[in-house]
Amino acid sequence: MASKSDVINSTIGEGSVFEGKFYISGSLRIDGKFEGDIKTDEELVVGVTGKVKTDIVAKSVVIAGTVIGNITAYDEVRLLETAKVLGDITAPSITL
């Protein structure tokens, strides 16, 4: 799964579990499980194995895994064919 930016600053890897607040200046990829708060001024990617329970605020969001929560993107949201989202999506552009 290709993201718009080739540089990912942080990764929560497959098999990892993170609970809490994650505020990052840069891009984030989640292939494990995350529950808490996420805010990034760049791109957030939820990989196929990613399971996220949070409200997301980011510049752009790419979802291939599961998200339970609302998504707010300032640029765009891309939902890939394996994406599962339970929540509201607010963005100027949504690609399915």
Side-chain angles (χ1 to χ4, degrees), residues 42-93:
E42 290 296 326
E43 183 174 57
L44 173 71
V45 177
V46 178
V48 176
T49 58
K51 293 183 174 48
V52 176
K53 188 175 182 182
T54 185
D55 290 335
I56 296 169
V57 178
K59 180 178 179 185
S60 64
V61 180
V62 179
I63 307 291
T66 303
V67 174
I68 298 172
N70 300 321
I71 300 170
T72 302
Y74 302 112
D75 189 8
E76 76 168 323
V77 174
R78 289 190 297 151
L79 302 176
L80 304 183
E81 64 183 54
T82 55
K84 296 176 189 133
V85 177
L86 180 61
D88 296 328
I89 298 174
T90 304
S93 172

